[in-house]
Amino acid sequence: MGLRLKSYGTAGSNGFSFLLLLLRFREVPLHRAIVGEVPAGSDEMASCPPEDDGACRFGASKVLLDILPEDSAGRLSWPPIRVALTGTVRGQDGKVRNATDADARVYRIDEAVGAYR
């Protein structure tokens, strides 16, 4: 299960993430565990003045969280998670651009620590 979190930054900017949880309802007592947090976009447009005509160098993005099929090489205890952004992001050159598939990230469980990385 992914629980969307929101963090508040300076000047009205917001960051988002998904807290990933394991819930096993069929076990008694109920088993639950936190298995990591993955970034899930941001909204920094509130930091821009209202009279700004697009020169503001911040973006606003949302995320789609996908659970990917497990690797065929062997059964994993946790499936890979793909985080794909939509909206706008700040590029390496500092300019705002549309998010693309290149901005998507795949996270896999690190069995040694029991968390997504």
Side-chain angles (χ1 to χ4, degrees), residues 101-114:
D101 281 341
D103 297 309
R105 299 289 178 259
V106 174
Y107 297 91
R108 299 187 188 298
I109 194 74
D110 181 343
E111 298 275 351
V113 295

Side-chain angles (χ1 to χ4, degrees), residues 48-53:
C48 298
E51 64 278 355
D52 191 355
D53 60 354

Side-chain angles (χ1 to χ4, degrees), residues 4-5 15-19 37-43 61-65 83-85 107:
R4 189 163 189 235
L5 303 177
F16 304 103
S17 63
F18 276 105
L19 181 64
E37 188 175 339
V38 294
S42 64
D43 182 0
S61 59
K62 293 184 180 178
V63 77
L64 175 63
L65 181 70
V83 175
L85 294 172
Y107 297 91

Side-chain angles (χ1 to χ4, degrees), residues 53-105:
D53 60 354
C56 188
R57 293 187 174 184
F58 297 103
S61 59
K62 293 184 180 178
V63 77
L64 175 63
L65 181 70
D66 285 328
I67 298 173
L68 301 176
E70 296 179 8
D71 295 330
S72 60
R75 184 130 176 102
L76 301 172
S77 60
W78 296 89
I81 302 292
R82 182 176 187 264
V83 175
L85 294 172
T86 62
T88 56
V89 295
R90 189 179 338 178
Q92 290 182 346
D93 60 359
K95 295 180 181 177
V96 174
R97 62 172 176 76
N98 289 330
T100 66
D101 281 341
D103 297 309
R105 299 289 178 259

